[in-house]
Amino acid sequence: MRFIRRLGTLWNGVEDVMLVVSLSSMMMLSVIQILMRNFMETSLVWADPLIRILVLWIALLGAMIGTRKNQHIAIDLLSHYAPTSLQSLVARFIALIASMIAFVMAYFSWRFVMSEKEYETVAFLSVHAWIFQMLIPIAFASIALRFVSELIFGGRVTEE
């Protein structure tokens, strides 16, 4: 169990660093693009596609961190009206459903990324799109595993 907690803590740090780097890079590239267009009448050809990719990354990383902190969007009508004695059971049932949905999303996003790899779609310059899209199945798998940990242990294993 200690190993799982350490691994979770390490993964939390990776998520946080990736979010900070993605957000900082997106802001910096946006400012550079604006300045170059307004003052030099030119721009970086690859910056706009990269900024769009970073927006996707920020959304996915935000969803991962929101799930980690239990601050994700939730429809908790069932748990709201359930008797106190059943609250734990209802929470685990909801975690089961959420984990199943997230695993399905991870699977189909993995298939999408593999098809992008097969068709050799290019994001910008000569960089393949699938490299940047790998975060999609990773994010959904991470979210699913957090719900699985809630299902099994009755709470977040990697809480902050």
Side-chain angles (χ1 to χ4, degrees), residues 43 64 67 72 76 113 125 134 144-145:
S43 66
M64 293 164 69
T67 305
H72 52 80
D76 60 352
V113 170
L125 300 176
M134 277 301 298
L145 289 173

Side-chain angles (χ1 to χ4, degrees), residues 17 29 36 41 60 63 77 82-83 91 94 150 158:
V17 167
L29 276 173
M36 286 181 71
E41 296 182 12
L60 291 168
L77 185 66
I94 291 169
E150 185 175 336
T158 58

